[in-house]
């Protein structure tokens, strides 16, 4: 158990809908990262937040957005969902964020868009 | 751009050693990681190596790093059926703003009894 929690574990929704994935980092960690794992794209970095502020963006679609709240939990919002958004979404956390720290991953949220 | 490559599949017999290889392209990587993913599960950090090291050993795991060739390997000694999983190598890229991991495509290790 990494100490990173993600909810929900599974999510099934329809195209065009909007969903919110939630992540709680390890106690004391200030950085949260989101990754998408899909069959065709593999594991891809989406976005990094540090202490409430966006730090880095990867291959994140404009239909997706994220935020990190004062209590340091983070939410990833996916809107206008398409079939191709079906994937496993991982959250990871690390103590800081400005240095190359080890990232600890949560169990993931499996999203299925029908 | 950054790219991390791994072979897709490796099959070994229980008790043998497994060697999973990885190549990366970003010479500015400072840390390189190995993660394990079991079916239906998340990513478990196995080990990491700092780029100024050549080797790191942790119980049954040995990581070798050849910086000149940008080649990383993970050796699992006395491989067990419980080691069957997908293994990902990842490099840590620190850009001006943040920290992100670039992953390889994963190597599926199958351990036969």
């Amino acid at each position: 158990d990494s100490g990173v929690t993600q909810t929900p574990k599974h999510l099934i929704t329809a195209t065009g809908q909007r969903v919110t994935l939630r992540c709680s980092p390890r106690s004391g960690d200030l950085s949260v990262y989101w990754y998408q794992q899909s069959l065709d794209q593999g594991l891809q970095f989406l976005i990094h937040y540090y202490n409430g502020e966006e730090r880095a963006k990867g291959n994140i679609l404009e239909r997706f957005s994220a935020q990190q709240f004062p209590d340091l939990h983070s939410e990833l919002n996916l809107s206008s969902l398409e079939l191709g958004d079906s994937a496993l979404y991982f959250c990871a956390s690390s103590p800081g964020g400005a240095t190359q720290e080890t990232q600890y991953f949560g169990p993931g949220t499996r999203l299925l868009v029908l | 751009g950054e790219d991390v490559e791994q072979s897709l599949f490796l099959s070994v017999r229980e008790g043998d050693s497994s060697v999973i290889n990885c190549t990366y392209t970003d010479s500015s990587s400072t840390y390189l990681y190995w993660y394990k993913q079991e079916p239906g599960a998340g990513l478990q950090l196995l080990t990491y190596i700092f780029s100024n090291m050549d080797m790191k050993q942790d119980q049954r795991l040995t990581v070798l790093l050849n910086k000149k060739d940008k080649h990383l390997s993970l050796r699992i000694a006395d491989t067990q059926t419980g080691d069957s999983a997908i293994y990902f190598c990842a490099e840590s890229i620190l850009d001006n703003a943040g920290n992100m991991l670039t992953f390889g495509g994963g190597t599926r290790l199958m351990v036969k009894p």
Side-chain angles (χ1 to χ4, degrees):
Chain A
D1 184 357
S2 67
V4 178
T5 59
Q6 290 187 247
T7 56
K9 209 168 174 173
H10 303 277
L11 198 47
I12 302 175
T13 188
T15 53
Q17 295 297 304
R18 173 189 163 96
V19 297
T20 298
L21 313 183
R22 186 189 164 102
C23 167
S24 292
R26 295 185 321 159
S27 177
D29 283 0
L30 299 179
S31 270
V32 169
Y33 311 81
W34 286 97
Y35 292 84
Q36 179 195 57
Q37 185 180 31
S38 62
L39 282 173
D40 53 345
Q41 298 287 330
L43 261 165
Q44 289 202 95
F45 168 75
L46 295 178
I47 199 161
H48 166 205
Y49 273 84
Y50 170 72
N51 205 19
E53 294 195 4
E54 182 186 301
R55 273 297 176 94
K57 253 184 177 176
N59 297 321
I60 188 165
L61 299 170
E62 283 192 17
R63 299 184 284 110
F64 296 0
S65 65
Q67 52 183 329
Q68 186 180 26
F69 295 87
D71 68 352
L72 302 175
H73 91 271
S74 177
E75 292 180 356
L76 180 67
N77 300 296
L78 316 175
S79 61
S80 303
L81 284 166
E82 301 174 1
L83 296 177
D85 297 326
S86 295
L88 193 50
Y89 291 85
F90 286 111
C91 163
S93 75
S94 71
T99 56
Q100 289 167 297
E101 298 173 325
T102 298
Q103 297 178 24
Y104 294 89
F105 281 74
T109 293
R110 189 172 293 278
L111 173 67
L112 180 59
V113 182
L114 300 174
Chain B
E2 307 88 15
D3 203 11
V4 180
E5 294 191 354
Q6 302 176 238
S7 51
L8 282 177
F9 188 75
L10 176 66
S11 178
V12 300
R13 291 224 170 265
E14 193 174 19
D16 288 350
S17 291
S18 308
V19 179
I20 302 171
N21 294 303
C22 170
T23 58
Y24 62 98
T25 56
D26 195 303
S27 58
S28 64
S29 299
T30 303
Y31 286 94
L32 295 137
Y33 300 86
W34 285 102
Y35 284 87
K36 176 184 180 183
Q37 185 178 32
E38 295 182 74
L43 291 166
Q44 175 195 351
L45 176 67
L46 285 179
T47 187
Y48 63 90
I49 189 166
F50 189 53
S51 60
N52 69 353
M53 297 167 67
D54 297 325
M55 186 182 94
K56 180 178 179 183
Q57 189 150 1
D58 185 0
Q59 299 181 328
R60 291 191 299 123
L61 305 179
T62 303
V63 179
L64 294 177
L65 176 60
N66 181 330
K67 263 197 101 168
K68 177 175 157 289
D69 294 338
K70 297 193 182 70
H71 183 266
L72 181 73
S73 68
L74 174 69
R75 180 177 179 270
I76 305 173
D78 186 27
T79 314
Q80 303 296 307
T81 53
D83 295 324
S84 292
I86 301 177
Y87 290 80
F88 292 93
C89 70
E91 59 176 347
S92 183
I93 309 293
L94 181 66
D95 68 13
N96 288 334
N99 178 21
M100 62 183 179
L101 292 175
T102 298
F103 285 88
T107 299
R108 184 178 294 274
L109 174 65
M110 179 181 288
V111 183
K112 297 178 187 174

